[in-house]
Every structure is written in structure tokens, then in C-alpha cells.
Amino acid sequence: MSSILDEYEDSQNSRHPVQHSSRLSAANIGITHSGFVNVRLEEEKPIFNKQRIDFSPPEKINHFAVCNNQLCMSLGKDTLLRIDLAKPDQPNQIELGRKDDSRVHKLFLDPTGSHLVISLSTSECLYLNRNTQKVRSLSRWRGHLIESVGWNKLLGTETNTGPVLVGTSQGIIFEAEISASEGSLFNTNPDQYFKQVHSLEEDGRPAPVCCIEVERGPESKVVIIATTRKRLFQFVGRVAEGSEQQGFSSVFSQNQELLPSFQEFPFNMGYSEITFYTSKLRSCPKAFAWMMGNGVLYGQLDYIRPDSVLSDVQVWDYTPDIDFSFNKPISIVLTQFHFLLLLPDRVKAICTLNGQVVNEDVFPDKFGTLKKMIKDPAGGLVWIYTEKAVFRYHIQREARDVWQMYMSMNKFDLAKEYCRDRPECMDMVLAKEAEHCFQNKRYLESAKCYALTQNYFEEIALKFIEAKQDEALKEFLLKKLNNLKQSEKTQITLLVTWLTELYLNHLGLLESDEGKHGVFQETRDEFRKFLSSSKHKECLYNNRTTIYDLLASHGNVDDMVYFSVIMQDYERVISHHCQHDDYSAALEVLSKHCDEKLFYKFSPILMQHIPKKVVDAWIQMGSRLDPKKLIPALVNYSQMGSTQQVNETIRYMEFCVYQLTVTEEAIHNYLLSLYAKYKPDSLLWYLEQVDVDLAKSCADLPEDDEELRKKLWLKIARHVVQEEKDVKKAMNCLSSCNLLKIEDILPFFPDFVTIDHFKEAICSSLEEYNQHIDELKQEMEEATESAKRIREDIQEMRNKYGVVESQEKCAACDFPLLNRPFYLFLCGHMFHYDCLFLEVSPHLSTYKQAKLGELQKKLAAATQTKSRHRPSPKEKEEGGDTASLGKESAGVSREQIKSDIDDIIAFECVYCGELMIKSIDKPFIDPGKLEEEKSSWL
């Protein structure tokens, strides 16, 4: 007996149970339409796993009860065996001590496993408590054959049952209470009271109360369900809070005025049995199953309903192989999704969702006829016994195939609930739901479901495209996009681009329809939310050029600007505003985002149109802007702009100089140039700065106005003398400006200043002047010596001569040289005067060509004057001296002109001098005369 429950053997004999299932076998390995790989490496274990207990009873098993891991069985005529399943090696055997012919009719064990009621065939009842070995008689129950007990789950304890209901074979329902205590001196019976509260009938005659159940619902509601052979009764009432101990009489009294609520079926097989399913221990049952003559009535329990708690009821008809003449159903047990029907030689498992027999387990004949089937609510085990053996069923993963049934019934929410931990099954449910919604034209719901599946993306997209369901396609793409991982960059890019195109197409259609303005605005908000999604910001940024192209192709300027702002592409936004002449908006973007580079880029064009606002923005930016980089914009528009632009330029420059204390030379030079050109009155005021060196550099800017320069330098000298009282600096002013002299600055010194105060500076200055004078004297002496040598060289050159033979020819025209005036060069080349003139003239600069022409005109005029003024005899006599003087003047003039002409054309040999070197890159033939030269050769 020590190993009655802990050692057992599998009862998988030659007649294996039939498993009706759509699951894949071990050999089913493949890829489904969804992309999941289904692999079964070994056959799954059955949901209902039967095991035989390794126990051989010494006598026949008559009856069996189990609850809360407490097992009780009646053996033979007078033996009771109790086993605590937590301690299976410590069984407890008790003798009932009956000497008459009575036998055990039924055993009733309460939910706590503490109270056992033994109904005898002699209409007597015995009581045995879990913690005692003494069997006690229930004297008040005598005379009634007990068929059922409805235990009190709320008030029942290990020592007291609380008020319970008892059903008899005569249809009477009693209320009773049993206490395990010994009681008082005058009352030693365990039964506290035993009173009739109701009676049940069938066809006008008393009918046995086959089963009775007491349940408590919300708001103190009490539900009593009792069954006879073909009727199911309901008693619904309320028990005031705190009065539960008073029993159930009030519930029956509340139903006295009404006809009893019951369901009746025509066929009677002599008994019936009802079972309940409770998801959690000590909670209200959720479902029921009633085995009766016409089949099994099953459904849900709804405690909210006012009259009947039974809902969604349906009848499962017995299968043709169940014949009441030889194999009537004996017992029934309800689980979450099945009810088990016990027949004399087998157990059938029927799914409550579709009424299909999913398992049929046949028992070997050697164990005898099956007697009873009981379920322990605490452990969930199902027990079956025969006269010779005990079996139990382990129910495991009962819900594993439920999803398929719900899916086939189009109850997709429930199907998904039961396959959350099985992605391949979830995918099939979602695909079926998506297809179902698509067939029923619920396209948006279909898209949402399709997006969660692993079905081929292209097939789904084509389905919606062919159905012309752009909204559903967009929904599908959005859901698919949200389900992608960040690492799937290619897929994200594809979907983002496609969705952008769909949004733009939709917006284009809505915008053209004036009646859909509201929908258009909603769609635009949705599109902008999509563009600003932080989840896909990286993809949008990396592919912003493509998005810009799409926006531009649809002419969607507003959304392009919006997208540019999101991408922080403020340069594009500002360019857009500038292109549309909205310069204020462009400046607003610039000022808002304070990007220095953009200020430098766009300030020129903005300065041209809104100079005051631009300068205000510059001033607001303060030291964040580099004024030197803004000078191009300022210079451009201060030169060609209006008076306002110039004034604004000066205003910003003054801000830089006086507020930011910028010391950049370029800034000060530019401001000074603006003062000199546009605001001369401000120039002297500007020069009263403390930076004398900067003032000096500014004083030299007006190069073409010596009077202004001297005035500025005097201003500096006065500042140095009167403000700084620095004589040395005053002397430096003299050396820095050649326009000032010592006598110019002496008036600036006060009368009381003696020469001792600046004697050193004056002496130093005089020494520098003396040194400078000495240097000049040396330079003058060197120049005199150089001039002397040059004169000697010239004189020597005059005494030089060359011999020209009579046969010598001109180097240019190759004609005899002595026929006309000519030039002889030291290199040996000889030219006619006119030939040399023609050779040299093209190579002369414009200035020298003009001067040469002018000298030729003067020479011609001088020649004509000489011929006209030949003196007459009288003139010779009277004014001979005058004529001689005029002749001498004209002659000198002509000679000078000819000498100047010689200096130009005969300065050097045209073939050996610099003219020839400079003409090396010139073509031999003048491009203007090239065509003429070509034709001359034909």
C-alpha cells in the first residue's frame, strides 16, 4: 500500500486512443505561405494522458470520491480507504462496523476534503471527519436515501460544513449542517439540524435529486442548480450580507410565488449528472455540462442575468455508437474546452467549441466495467475507477489546438488569445483574419492584420492595388513599417519612400476637391506626423534628397518647407522664402535658429531688401557673428544701395566698434571710409579714440586729399600733445607724416612748457634730420659723379664713327643705303630712316605712338615755317639781327624735334634690342591681313 500512487505505469496498451487532430506529424517539415518553418521533431504528447495507478485493491472498489488531494474509496462491504495524495505512502483504512446487509450507496466529499458523508442503501448516513478515525451516524438524516449534496463553499471549514443542501431519492431538498465537534452533553450528534426547504417533481411525481450545486455570485446573489432525471432547475435569490449562516431558506421562499425555472428534455435514462468548470479554486464556475437522456446540455454561466444564469447553451447529441441498451453514459467531467463522457468501456473527449469528438480512449476488458469518473477541482486531475483498478488523466496543454477551432469559427480574437506564445500559429490566425476581412470588404482591418503576418509582402500589396484600396495599402505599409527593426534599413527606406508617394497622391486628389477640405487637412496632419516621426528620422534624413524630389514633383511646396524644417535644412527654407520674395519670413527663420553660416550666406540678399531688419538681427546676434565676414554684404550694398542701406551699414559698424569693441583693422578702416565718403562730420569725432596708431592708419586713407590728411594728422598731434602730453609721440607724428613740420605742432604746447620738457625729443629729431641730410648729401654726390661719367660717355660716343661702304644696303628693304637718310647702329645693322620708322612703329606702346605722331606734325610745321620766312633785302638791311634770331630759334626747334624722334625710333636696333624680344609671341603675319596675304600667294 505504500506505493499506491507514487508508482504507476503507463496504460498505453495495444488499443491506443484515437487522436483526432490537425497537428503536423513528425515528418511534416516545410515552409508555409507565411514564411514560418513548421518542424515537429517528435510526436506531441496527447492532451489527455491516461495513467494507471499501480494498485491492486484487496476487495472490489464500490465507490470513489476525491477532492482537495484527499482520496476516499469504499472497498467490499465494510471497508473505507483514505489517502492523502500529498502523503501517498500513508494510507488510512477504516472499518465501518456494519453488521446488517447495508452497503455504501454513495460517497460525498466536501471541497476542503475534510467532511465525508457516506450514504447507505438502507437510507442511513454516516459521517467521517478528516482528522478523526471515528465514523459517526447522522441520525437526523435517517430514512432518506441521499442522492446529492450541495456543499457550502463560502462558510465550510475543516470542522464545520456550514449550511448545506441535501437531495434525496424522493425529490426532497433538505438544508443541514454538520459539525465535527463532539457537541454538548445532551447533543452528541454531528448533524446540527436537518430541515426540508423544497421538493422537486417530474410529470407530477417526486423525482430524485440527482445533483445539486450552490454558488454565490456578485452582490450577494445565490444560485442553486438542481437536476432530476430530465429536468434542470434554477433557484436565484439574494441573501443579505452577514446572514449567510441562516441558510438558503430565503432563496427558495423568494421563488415560491414564481413557477420553478427549469429546462426539461423528453427522454429519461434513469439518472443525470451535472458538472462545472472552475478556472480558479474557490471561484465561481464559468461553464457547465449536464449529461441527460437526450445528450449533453452545455454552456456558460452568467451571474449578471436576473432570472437564468445559463447562457450560450447548446445540446450535444449522443453519437450513434452510444446505445442505452448496453452502453449508456455513466459520468461526465467538464474541462476548459472539453467534456469527458464516461461509457462502460471507454472515455470520449468532446470539444465544447465545435462539438467534435477529439479523443476516444478504450479501456482493456481485463480491468472490468468502468464505474465512475470524478474530477478533483484542486489539482485538476480526472480519476476513473473500475472494481479492480484506478486510473487518472493528466490534462496538459488543453488549449494548444483551440486556436484552430476559434479560427475556423471566425472568432479571431479568441484564436489569437490562445496562440500568443506560438508565433507560427498566430501568423496563420492573422492571415485568416486578414483574408476574412478582405473578403467582407473591411479593407482597413484586413491591412492591419496582414501587416502583422509573415505573408509575402508583394502578394499583399498587389491585392490592395488590384482592389484600388489606396487607404488600406497605406495602412498596411504603415503597420509594416512600424514592425520593422532599425537594422532593416533597406526595407525601411522602401516603405518610407512608397508611403510618401501615396500620401502625396492622396493629398493631390483631396486638394482638388473643394468639398473635402476637412479630410484634406486631416490627411495633411497625418502626413506631417509621418514626416516628423522620430522612429524613422534617420531614414528620412539619409534619403531627404529623394523626399525633396517627390515633394517637388507634386508641387507640394508647403510640405517641402515643413520637411525642411524637420530636417533642420534651414538653408532650403530660407532659399524658398527668398525665391518667393518673402524676405521677412526668411529673416525670421534665420533669427530663430541663429545659424552663423546661414547669416553669412543670406545677409547680402536680405540686406538689399530689408536692411533695417537685417541689421537689427545682426545686433541681436551680438558677438556670435564675425563682423569681418559680413563686410562683403555691407560693401556691396553700401556702394550700390540706397541711403537707408548705407546708414544701416554705418549703424552696424558703429555697433561693432563701440559696443562689441572690435579691434579688427578691416572694420575700422571700412567705417572710416564710410565716414569720409558719407559722413565727414563724424570723421573727426571718430578719430578721438584712444588708439593713436589706429587713428594714424585712418588719417592716411584719403590719399588724394592732402589738405584733409594734414588736418587729420594735426588732430592726432593735438591729441598727443594736449591729452597725452607725450612729446615723443608728437615727434613721431612728425616723422610719420611728411606734411607736418615742427612749427606746425609747437602751438599746441602750453605757454608754461619749457624746452627742457621736450629738448631730448627735439635733439633726437634734429640728429635724425642731420643724418638724413648727410645721407642725402652722399646720394647727391654719387648722383653728380654718375652724371659726370654719363656725360663723358656721351662725349666719347659722339667721337665714335663707322664706315659705310657704297654697296651697303638697308637691312629692312635691301635697297642701297646711301640713297636716303639712314641710321647706323653699333651692332652693324643699317636702316633707311623711313624703313626704320615702319619697323619700329608697330611695336611701340600707344603712348609712344601718339607722341611720335605729335612730333612728326611739329616737324612738318617747323619745316613750313622756315620756308615762308626767308628775309627780303629790306628786312636783311633793317632787321637782319631779328631774322637771324628767328632762324636760330626755328633751327634749334627742328633739331630738337628730330632729336626727340630719334630717341623714340632709334633708341636701339630694332633687330637686336628689347623690341624684338617682346615681339616673340606675335605672329609673323598680322591676323587682320592674313586673308589678304593668303590670296596674294594664289
Side-chain angles (χ1 to χ4, degrees):
M1 296 296 292
S2 63
S3 61
I4 185 172
L5 294 176
D6 59 343
E7 296 180 2
Y8 57 85
E9 63 181 10
D10 291 340
S11 137
Q12 305 297 325
N13 46 54
S14 58
R15 291 184 291 177
H16 292 287
V18 180
Q19 292 284 341
H20 300 281
S21 175
S22 60
R23 297 189 301 274
L24 295 173
S25 66
N28 287 342
I29 301 177
I31 299 178
T32 66
H33 71 286
S34 66
F36 278 103
V37 178
N38 292 325
V39 178
R40 296 290 185 268
L41 298 181
E42 60 181 14
E43 185 175 358
E44 290 183 339
K45 293 182 180 180
I47 294 175
F48 304 100
N49 185 21
K50 181 181 70 177
Q51 299 162 344
R52 181 193 169 207
I53 303 302
D54 186 16
F55 166 65
S56 298
E59 297 181 80
K60 291 182 180 181
I61 302 175
N62 297 321
H63 291 281
F64 191 96
V66 60
C67 203
N68 198 25
N69 284 331
Q70 300 298 315
L71 186 149
C72 300
M73 64 177 71
S74 170
L75 302 177
K77 177 183 177 182
D78 203 40
T79 303
L80 188 69
L81 182 65
R82 295 190 299 179
I83 301 172
D84 185 350
L85 297 180
K87 305 173 183 178
D89 55 344
Q90 301 176 14
N92 176 242
Q93 185 171 322
I94 299 174
E95 300 296 329
L96 298 180
R98 305 292 296 181
K99 303 300 183 181
D100 53 19
D101 294 332
S102 65
R103 56 182 178 82
V104 175
H105 177 61
K106 284 186 178 181
L107 298 178
F108 305 98
L109 189 62
D110 82 308
T112 67
S114 301
H115 308 281
L116 177 65
V117 173
I118 306 167
S119 174
L120 301 178
S121 59
T122 56
S123 299
E124 295 179 82
C125 285
L126 303 176
Y127 169 74
L128 179 63
N129 188 267
R130 173 182 178 180
N131 298 320
T132 66
Q133 296 288 326
K134 183 179 179 181
V135 178
R136 303 168 68 184
S137 175
L138 299 175
S139 58
R140 291 186 175 88
W141 297 38
R142 186 177 292 117
H144 301 283
L145 183 61
I146 306 302
E147 294 288 346
S148 58
V149 176
W151 298 102
N152 194 322
K153 300 175 184 178
L154 177 65
L155 301 179
T157 64
E158 291 186 358
T159 59
N160 192 288
T161 62
V164 298
L165 295 177
V166 179
T168 69
S169 60
Q170 296 300 315
I172 302 174
I173 298 177
F174 289 92
E175 183 181 300
E177 184 176 357
I178 303 174
S179 176
S181 61
E182 292 296 331
S184 64
L185 178 64
F186 301 101
N187 183 17
T188 60
N189 294 328
D191 48 336
Q192 302 298 303
Y193 66 90
F194 191 76
K195 62 179 180 180
Q196 181 178 348
V197 291
H198 199 70
S199 61
L200 302 180
E201 295 181 349
E202 283 183 357
D203 301 326
R205 294 188 298 273
V209 183
C210 300
C211 298
I212 189 167
E213 183 80 9
V214 179
E215 296 296 341
R216 295 183 182 274
E219 299 179 358
S220 303
K221 180 183 285 189
V222 176
V223 178
I224 300 172
I225 298 177
T227 64
T228 60
R229 291 166 297 189
K230 60 179 183 178
R231 285 185 177 180
L232 187 151
F233 294 86
Q234 298 180 67
F235 301 93
V236 181
R238 297 186 184 276
V239 176
E241 187 175 355
S243 62
E244 292 86 354
Q245 195 64 41
Q246 297 178 8
F248 306 102
S249 301
S250 61
V251 177
F252 289 103
S253 63
Q254 294 174 27
N255 288 268
Q256 289 295 336
E257 300 178 358
L258 303 174
L259 292 174
S261 175
F262 65 87
Q263 289 186 329
E264 182 177 12
F265 290 86
F267 194 75
N268 177 4
M269 64 177 181
Y271 57 88
S272 71
E273 183 173 308
I274 191 168
T275 181
F276 298 89
Y277 168 71
T278 304
S279 59
K280 297 180 181 178
L281 191 62
R282 296 187 179 277
S283 63
C284 296
K286 293 184 176 181
F288 76 97
W290 179 39
M291 180 188 72
M292 39 79 181
N294 287 81
V296 177
L297 178 72
Y298 63 97
Q300 305 299 313
L301 294 176
D302 185 0
Y303 299 94
I304 304 300
R305 299 178 64 181
D307 49 358
S308 174
V309 296
L310 308 183
S311 65
D312 299 330
V313 295
Q314 50 189 318
V315 177
W316 179 80
D317 296 327
Y318 294 125
T319 55
D321 62 324
I322 298 178
D323 189 344
F324 284 3
S325 60
F326 65 91
N327 65 343
K328 291 193 299 184
I330 301 170
S331 188
I332 188 170
V333 164
L334 181 62
T335 65
Q336 185 177 5
F337 298 106
H338 304 83
F339 60 82
L340 303 180
L341 197 63
L342 182 68
L343 299 171
D345 64 342
R346 69 192 61 198
V347 173
K348 286 179 179 287
I350 295 93
C351 178
T352 56
L353 299 179
N354 55 16
Q356 298 296 317
V357 177
V358 297
N359 183 38
E360 188 169 350
D361 191 4
V362 180
F363 285 70
D365 295 336
K366 65 180 181 178
F367 298 118
T369 303
L370 303 178
K371 293 292 187 181
K372 189 72 173 177
M373 180 169 58
I374 307 104
K375 180 184 178 183
D376 183 358
L381 296 177
V382 176
W383 298 81
I384 299 175
Y385 72 94
T386 68
E387 291 181 348
K388 302 178 181 180
V390 177
F391 302 88
R392 66 180 175 188
Y393 278 101
H394 283 274
I395 303 175
Q396 52 191 2
R397 296 186 63 199
E398 182 183 7
R400 69 185 182 196
D401 296 326
V402 169
W403 64 273
Q404 296 187 43
M405 301 174 191
Y406 279 129
M407 182 177 69
S408 63
M409 298 163 63
N410 294 334
K411 295 182 178 181
F412 300 108
D413 290 339
L414 290 172
K416 288 182 284 189
E417 185 69 28
Y418 289 99
C419 62
R420 291 190 180 279
D421 57 343
R422 302 173 66 182
E424 72 281 2
C425 302
M426 177 68 77
D427 191 75
M428 295 175 65
V429 173
L430 289 169
K432 181 69 180 296
E433 182 181 9
E435 184 62 28
H436 176 76
C437 293
F438 191 91
Q439 296 297 332
N440 288 273
K441 298 184 178 181
R442 290 154 48 197
Y443 296 110
L444 286 178
E445 297 177 41
S446 176
K448 293 176 182 178
C449 293
Y450 268 132
L452 299 175
T453 69
Q454 297 295 321
N455 285 31
Y456 295 120
F457 175 84
E458 299 83 354
E459 293 180 0
I460 301 171
L462 286 173
K463 284 174 70 76
F464 290 115
I465 292 174
E466 291 173 357
K468 298 181 179 179
Q469 294 297 320
D470 292 342
E471 275 297 308
L473 176 61
K474 183 179 69 177
E475 185 68 26
F476 168 68
L477 297 179
L478 282 171
K479 294 291 183 182
K480 204 71 175 176
L481 177 63
N482 291 331
N483 293 335
L484 290 177
K485 300 177 181 178
Q486 290 297 323
S487 58
E488 299 174 299
K489 297 185 182 298
T490 303
Q491 294 89 331
I492 291 176
T493 301
L494 170 65
L495 294 181
V496 166
T497 308
W498 195 352
L499 281 166
T500 302
E501 178 67 20
L502 287 176
Y503 271 116
L504 291 173
N505 286 336
H506 195 199
L507 285 171
L509 294 174
L510 293 174
E511 189 174 17
S512 60
D513 192 342
E514 296 181 357
K516 296 183 177 180
H517 178 72
V519 180
F520 170 78
Q521 194 60 45
E522 291 178 4
T523 306
R524 165 165 282 181
D525 294 342
E526 182 183 342
F527 178 45
R528 292 187 172 183
K529 183 178 179 181
F530 168 75
L531 291 178
S532 59
S533 170
S534 58
K535 185 176 181 180
H536 313 302
K537 184 176 182 179
E538 181 182 356
C539 175
L540 289 166
Y541 181 80
N542 293 335
N543 298 277
R544 60 188 184 280
T545 302
T546 303
I547 304 298
Y548 282 135
D549 292 341
L550 288 174
L551 290 164
S553 66
H554 286 266
N556 196 327
V557 177
D558 294 338
D559 289 323
M560 184 171 68
V561 172
Y562 179 83
F563 181 67
S564 301
V565 173
I566 294 174
M567 293 294 104
Q568 297 184 353
D569 190 358
Y570 303 119
E571 181 176 350
R572 186 181 293 268
V573 178
I574 298 169
S575 298
H576 166 76
H577 289 313
C578 290
Q579 290 171 2
H580 291 77
D581 298 336
D582 194 353
Y583 303 105
S584 297
L587 182 60
E588 183 180 352
V589 176
L590 264 179
S591 303
K592 182 177 180 181
H593 300 286
C594 303
D595 190 326
E596 295 86 355
K597 294 181 179 179
L598 294 181
F599 264 102
Y600 301 144
K601 180 172 183 178
F602 290 99
S603 288
I605 188 171
L606 296 176
M607 190 66 183
Q608 183 180 5
H609 296 89
I610 48 173
K612 185 179 185 307
K613 292 183 179 180
V614 173
V615 171
D616 289 341
W618 289 349
I619 293 174
Q620 187 176 4
M621 286 288 288
S623 59
R624 284 177 289 180
L625 291 179
D626 185 356
K628 187 167 62 175
K629 294 182 179 180
L630 294 173
I631 287 181
L634 296 171
V635 171
N636 185 18
Y637 297 108
S638 65
Q639 292 177 352
M640 57 180 291
S642 64
T643 303
Q644 182 188 12
Q645 292 166 345
V646 173
N647 292 336
E648 295 301 327
T649 301
I650 294 175
R651 180 164 72 97
Y652 181 67
M653 289 288 97
E654 290 175 342
F655 169 77
C656 295
V657 171
Y658 301 117
Q659 299 296 323
L660 301 181
T661 63
V662 174
T663 58
E664 288 283 346
E665 183 178 352
I667 300 298
H668 287 269
N669 290 344
Y670 183 48
L671 177 59
L672 186 62
S673 65
L674 291 175
Y675 278 154
K677 188 173 183 179
Y678 298 104
K679 288 189 175 182
D681 296 339
S682 302
L683 192 59
L684 295 178
W685 172 75
Y686 166 80
L687 292 177
E688 294 176 353
Q689 298 174 80
V690 294
D691 192 345
V692 175
D693 293 334
L694 184 60
K696 289 179 180 181
S697 62
C698 296
D700 282 331
L701 290 178
E703 298 177 355
D704 298 334
D705 192 343
E706 291 189 356
E707 183 180 354
L708 178 60
R709 284 179 60 205
K710 185 173 182 179
K711 191 176 182 180
L712 295 175
W713 276 104
L714 286 173
K715 185 76 172 178
I716 296 171
R718 174 179 291 179
H719 171 81
V720 171
V721 174
Q722 296 179 351
E723 301 296 333
E724 298 187 6
K725 296 180 174 56
D726 191 333
V727 177
K728 189 173 182 180
K729 276 191 177 182
M731 297 302 103
N732 288 336
C733 290
L734 293 177
S735 61
S736 300
C737 179
N738 56 1
L739 300 177
L740 296 183
K741 297 181 180 179
I742 186 70
E743 58 268 22
D744 294 327
I745 64 172
L746 285 177
F748 300 149
F749 291 98
D751 296 338
F752 57 83
V753 175
T754 62
I755 193 146
D756 293 336
H757 291 114
F758 51 94
K759 177 175 63 176
E760 183 179 351
I762 293 177
C763 291
S764 176
S765 178
L766 291 175
E767 288 177 1
E768 291 178 1
Y769 279 124
N770 288 335
Q771 183 179 355
H772 184 60
I773 291 171
D774 291 341
E775 291 175 356
L776 290 177
K777 288 172 65 177
Q778 184 178 354
E779 290 178 1
M780 290 177 64
E781 290 176 357
E782 291 176 356
T784 303
E785 183 65 25
S786 177
K788 181 179 178 182
R789 287 197 299 269
I790 292 173
R791 284 195 298 271
E792 291 175 354
D793 290 341
I794 293 173
Q795 187 64 34
E796 184 180 354
M797 288 296 294
R798 287 178 178 175
N799 296 330
K800 285 187 178 182
Y801 63 91
V803 178
V804 179
E805 301 292 339
S806 60
Q807 68 273 16
E808 294 290 345
K809 296 182 180 180
C810 175
C813 65
D814 204 28
F815 281 94
L817 185 66
L818 300 177
N819 293 343
R820 299 195 300 272
F822 63 90
Y823 290 96
L824 170 64
F825 292 94
L826 294 177
C827 61
H829 287 114
M830 294 169 280
F831 301 91
H832 291 128
Y833 168 81
D834 53 344
C835 292
L836 182 61
F837 186 88
L838 293 175
E839 287 289 336
V840 172
S841 296
H843 299 287
L844 296 176
S845 64
T846 305
Y847 170 75
K848 286 188 177 182
Q849 286 181 353
K851 186 174 182 181
L852 184 60
E854 182 181 353
L855 290 173
Q856 284 183 312
K857 292 180 181 178
K858 288 182 178 180
L859 182 61
T863 303
Q864 292 177 1
T865 303
K866 179 180 179 181
S867 59
R868 284 198 307 266
H869 289 279
R870 289 183 178 178
S872 60
K874 186 178 181 180
E875 288 175 344
K876 290 180 180 180
E877 181 178 351
E878 296 178 356
D881 294 338
T882 303
S884 298
L885 181 60
K887 178 181 177 182
E888 182 179 357
S889 299
V892 172
S893 179
R894 288 180 67 254
E895 291 301 323
Q896 182 63 42
I897 293 172
K898 290 175 70 176
S899 176
D900 291 341
I901 292 175
D902 289 343
D903 289 340
I904 294 175
I905 66 172
F907 176 73
E908 60 182 356
C909 176
V910 70
Y911 288 169
C912 301
E914 291 184 4
L915 288 178
M916 183 58 66
I917 296 173
K918 291 180 179 179
S919 65
I920 194 171
D921 59 338
K922 294 184 179 179
F924 291 108
I925 302 175
D926 187 358
K929 299 180 180 180
L930 180 60
E931 295 299 326
E932 181 181 352
E933 187 67 22
K934 283 183 180 180
S935 60
S936 66
W937 282 76
L938 298 177

